[in-house]
Amino acid sequence: MRYDRLNVLTGWSVWIIATIVYLLTIEPTASFWDCGEFIASAYKLEVGHPPGAPLFMLLARFLMIFATPETAAIAANSLSALSSSFTILFLFWSITHLARRFTGGFTKEPSSSERLAVLGSGIVGALAYTFSDSFWFSATEGEVYALSSLFTAAVFWAILKWEKNADEPSSTRWIILIAYLMGLSIGVHLLNLLAIPAMALVYYFRKYEFSIKGLVITGVFSIALLGLIQVGVIQGVIQLAGSFEQYFVNVMGLPFNSGIFTYLILLVALLSALVWYSRKQGWWA
């Protein structure tokens, strides 16, 4: 059997182990902290404490459709269990990717001993994390951290897939996938943004020759990008929308929501212009 197929099958085997363990050990109701609030908010599709977790609420509510009111908590906890087991799956594939990179790369089929070393490292690392105290704890309760961990594991796995295929014309799709997943993750928890510096280093080492100067510049740029998204995009875009609405209503005397709609039109036009210009310059390839 070829290594790639064996890697896929082994990864799913580890996923099955993690899924069974987490589903067998989930909380029957709610833990004594924010879990009760999240479960109740998801059940009624209400707003939880700021900054909110709308994507988590929607996914938990989707699972609650198949549950009774008495088992709604189990449905929300199952979301965490499944999110955690898929986190383990992506962790396994990330470990085997790095291990194979260290054992000669991807240009040749690994030998039997290399297969054992690569897949064994993935199994040990993934299962060690599966049964670690804090991760197992979050995998059994209705909180946002399990789902946020899934997004973090998925985006890092995606940057490794890009790293493997960076010289191919279609490799940009992995960068687009990362941007999409990170956008979705904001609706769960901001923890996913901390993967940006790590992904920036992967990009740097794949595209450039190593130097201390380049490493420092990459680190500074990644932290600046993290701050830009955290403050400029996540907070700034919403604050600017509020300023538009206040000006249009309070100063210009226009109806409610006129500022919001104007802002959305301008924002979509700006993004469309940037996409058009980047394609014209060939920056998208």
Side-chain angles (χ1 to χ4, degrees):
M1 183 182 297
R2 290 184 57 84
Y3 167 81
D4 290 340
R5 183 172 180 82
L6 190 61
N7 185 43
V8 171
L9 292 177
T10 307
W12 283 109
S13 299
V14 173
W15 173 83
I16 291 174
I17 295 173
T19 300
I20 293 174
V21 169
Y22 293 150
L23 288 178
L24 288 176
T25 57
I26 57 173
E27 292 276 2
T29 54
S31 301
F32 290 114
W33 63 311
D34 291 346
C35 303
E37 176 201 353
F38 278 114
I39 294 171
S41 298
Y43 185 73
K44 293 293 186 179
L45 276 184
E46 296 175 346
V47 179
H49 65 267
L55 181 60
F56 174 85
M57 301 298 182
L58 289 172
L59 294 176
R61 178 55 189 163
F62 173 76
L63 291 180
M64 290 177 183
I65 293 175
F66 307 100
T68 63
E70 294 78 14
T71 59
I74 294 179
N77 297 339
S78 297
L79 173 62
S80 294
L82 293 174
S83 299
S84 297
S85 64
F86 275 103
T87 300
I88 297 301
L89 176 66
F90 287 118
L91 173 62
F92 173 86
W93 284 334
S94 297
I95 293 174
T96 55
H97 176 98
L98 294 173
R100 191 174 180 191
R101 174 67 71 189
F102 296 150
T103 57
F106 305 93
T107 56
K108 62 181 180 67
E109 186 72 12
S111 63
S112 298
S113 59
E114 289 174 338
R115 289 186 183 190
L116 180 61
V118 171
L119 296 177
S121 64
I123 293 172
V124 171
L127 290 181
Y129 195 51
T130 298
F131 296 102
S132 62
D133 182 72
S134 58
F135 188 75
W136 192 353
F137 192 90
S138 67
T140 60
E141 60 182 13
E143 249 282 9
V144 298
Y145 299 111
L147 186 57
S148 180
S149 296
L150 171 59
F151 278 108
T152 303
V155 297
F156 190 75
W157 168 81
I159 196 64
L160 294 179
K161 295 291 289 185
W162 170 86
E163 184 265 345
K164 180 182 178 182
N165 305 284
D167 297 326
E168 298 179 6
S170 61
S171 63
T172 310
R173 60 183 176 172
W174 295 108
I175 303 296
I176 296 174
L177 176 63
I178 289 170
Y180 178 69
L181 290 176
M182 297 200 78
L184 289 179
S185 73
I186 294 172
V188 179
H189 196 275
L190 300 182
L191 179 67
N192 186 253
L193 299 179
L194 296 179
I196 291 177
M199 292 189 293
L201 291 175
V202 172
Y203 185 92
Y204 167 72
F205 283 109
R206 184 63 174 82
K207 285 291 188 178
Y208 302 97
E209 290 291 332
F210 172 77
S211 68
I212 298 298
K213 179 181 178 181
L215 182 63
V216 172
I217 292 175
T218 302
V220 172
F221 176 79
S222 65
I223 298 300
L225 180 61
L226 175 61
L228 175 64
I229 296 175
Q230 168 71 34
V231 179
V233 176
I234 298 176
Q235 300 179 31
V237 169
I238 303 302
Q239 292 173 350
L240 187 57
S243 299
F244 262 76
E245 178 69 4
Q246 289 179 343
Y247 182 80
F248 274 65
V249 175
N250 297 341
V251 178
M252 300 180 64
L254 295 175
F256 289 114
N257 297 321
S258 58
I260 294 293
F261 287 128
T262 303
Y263 174 77
L264 288 177
I265 292 172
L266 292 175
L267 182 62
V268 171
L270 175 63
L271 293 176
S272 300
L274 290 174
V275 171
W276 173 82
Y277 184 75
S278 65
R279 288 181 64 88
K280 183 179 179 181
Q281 296 295 320
W283 295 343
W284 59 277

